[in-house]
Amino acid sequence: MASMRDIKRRKSSIQSTQQITKAMKLVSTVKLQRAKTRAEQSKSYFKCMYDTVTSILAKAGTIDHPYLKAGESGKKAVIVITSNRGLAGGYNSNVVKLVTKGELKKDDVAIYALGRKGKDTFARYGYDIRLENDEIVENPSYSDAMKLSQTLLDAYAAGEISEIYLAYTAFKNTVVHEPTLLKLLPVELEQNENEEQREPGTPMNFEPEDEEALNMIIPKYVTSLIFGGLVEAVASENGARMQAMDSATSNAEDMISHLSLQYNRARQGSITQELTEIIAGANAIN
């Protein structure tokens, strides 16, 4: 059995760690409330944007536009949104696994890493990292998403990348966060139930011309989905960290209780031994 000094030292160390995890939980809780409100307010808009654009293109027939055709050459760009810090459970690793354990082949992928943890992991795995941005995940703005969107669309139009994907963590609620891999371009035209009930073959007319209209719509569509992914990812990160720190705090409390019991037993054993030695010494004198 460990000595009383060792038990006391270990208990003190765990108590110090518990204070840190408790403080981190409180910080994450405060951040989560702000991020949660922002994610919930914007979620409907971004979902509507995705549904509307896919619905428009599903009815547009065959339009010869560079944003709607997969490139014959070039890598598949994957925007990976992770955090700059750890201690968030499986938040970062679950997003990375969407790429490393999915159907995308390593040699065909170009990583656009938003967040230090994802960048470090993909660099360690030897992936082609085309872009890295750690600051954008700290306080996402629409202008940052717009710049990234334009960079991707320029590379897409030039044939440097053939497809664009977004890997992020969708925010469902405080305790449920879902790693998601979403294909942005070329747009996958899938009819939903409401569209299937409509009269088939309904034509879609563009004003102005289709190419000019798509030149305005597609960049806004890509920008909106990237920004929406960033906003939801930030909320998910803080939710995951809050849960992880709450679990760590509870585990520390259990360990402290166990060590307190061990300490009391060791102390009782020490007292019993001292009493036994005193009684034995007294009997020896008599």
Side-chain angles (χ1 to χ4, degrees), residues 10-24 245 248-249 252 255-256:
R10 189 180 179 195
K11 180 181 175 182
S12 177
S13 175
I14 294 174
Q15 286 175 329
S16 298
T17 302
Q18 185 187 40
Q19 292 178 349
I20 295 173
T21 59
K22 189 178 293 185
M24 291 183 67
M245 292 302 98
T249 302
M255 294 178 69
I256 291 170

Side-chain angles (χ1 to χ4, degrees), residues 154-167:
D154 289 343
Y156 188 88
E160 297 174 9
I161 55 177
S162 58
E163 297 177 6
I164 302 176
Y165 293 83
L166 177 65

Side-chain angles (χ1 to χ4, degrees), residues 1 4 262-276:
M1 180 181 291
M4 292 173 58
Q262 278 189 327
Y263 180 84
N264 290 334
R265 286 177 177 173
R267 182 168 177 269
Q268 185 178 13
S270 176
I271 294 172
T272 302
Q273 184 178 356
E274 289 178 2
L275 288 174
T276 302

